Amino acid sequence: MDPLIDRARAFPQRAEAGGRHLTALAGGQSPQALFITCSDSRVVPALITGADPGDLFELRTAGNIVPEYRPDAPSGEAATIEYAVEVLEVRDLVVCGHSHCGAVGAVVRGDDLSVVPAVRDWLSTAADPGALRADATDLFDPTVAGPVQRHVLAQLERLRGYPGIAARLADGRLRLHGWFYEIHTGLVLSHRADSGLFLPL
């Protein structure tokens, strides 16, 4: 922890030296996008996008899973999504999966997760393993690129079931984006609706 503590102590000076005027943030936030991604420590939204404080409203979940909209079962994830859309009125919403994703890999392979029951039960809310797996090669691909990309599309479909999102998509106030981040290269791919492919930004 010591290096993290040292950098936290020095953050005000680093921010000022970098031209970031933090006092302006005290008046409120108006982020450009809601960025939903995995909790994986190797995925850093601000680093990937070059975002400054105040640019991104972030939701990090194991496997970047978006729960189905259920008004009778409130969750922190649903509350974050609702706040970003209804209160902050973000114009863009990104679901970003990543290569070498342990969560999606575990779902696709059917790993025994009995020693981590909370993880097991959370991952059971993800898309059906069969829907994520195109063929047997997906079981042996360490990047799990194909399953993760299909998983991102499944989460975007779930988001369309949120009433506030559906209304804003219908009148053009909101855009959805599916991204895939390659940990080993830094490359970011974006889903193109016209071709159905994930292609470099």
Side-chain angles (χ1 to χ4, degrees):
M1 276 293 292
D2 288 347
L4 299 177
I5 292 170
D6 289 342
R7 289 195 291 272
R9 285 185 181 129
F11 178 66
Q13 293 77 28
R14 288 189 290 114
E16 184 177 349
R20 293 183 174 95
H21 304 291
L22 300 181
T23 54
L25 297 174
Q29 61 173 323
S30 183
Q32 299 175 37
L34 169 60
F35 200 98
I36 300 174
T37 194
C38 188
S39 304
D40 193 299
S41 62
R42 300 166 294 177
V43 181
V44 184
L47 185 63
I48 295 167
T49 62
D52 284 329
D55 287 345
L56 294 178
F57 200 66
E58 294 183 25
L59 173 58
R60 311 277 306 249
T61 72
N64 52 266
I65 295 172
V66 173
E68 293 181 353
Y69 179 75
R70 291 187 54 194
D72 61 325
S75 68
E77 296 82 17
T80 299
I81 293 164
E82 183 177 78
Y83 189 82
V85 171
E86 302 286 356
V87 178
L88 299 177
E89 299 182 336
V90 295
R91 301 280 305 178
D92 292 277
L93 195 161
V94 177
V95 175
C96 182
H98 66 92
S99 70
H100 305 86
C101 181
V104 172
V107 171
V108 169
R109 292 185 303 269
D111 290 353
D112 178 8
L113 300 174
S114 56
V115 297
V116 282
V119 174
R120 178 198 61 213
D121 294 347
W122 173 249
L123 295 183
S124 73
T125 69
D128 173 56
L132 298 182
R133 191 169 53 238
D135 55 50
T137 61
D138 285 332
L139 293 171
F140 306 103
D141 176 8
T143 71
V144 289
V148 169
Q149 291 172 9
R150 289 186 282 278
H151 176 66
V152 165
L153 297 180
Q155 306 319 299
L156 289 173
E157 194 57 37
R158 282 189 178 179
L159 286 166
R160 291 184 178 93
Y162 282 64
I165 290 175
R168 284 163 173 77
L169 287 172
D171 63 20
R173 286 179 290 163
L174 181 68
R175 297 180 300 178
L176 298 182
H177 308 269
W179 285 10
F180 174 75
Y181 171 63
E182 287 189 345
I183 285 177
H184 54 299
T185 67
L187 185 67
V188 179
L189 309 178
S190 177
H191 182 255
R192 309 293 172 84
D194 54 351
S195 66
L197 301 174
F198 280 79
L199 300 173
L201 286 174

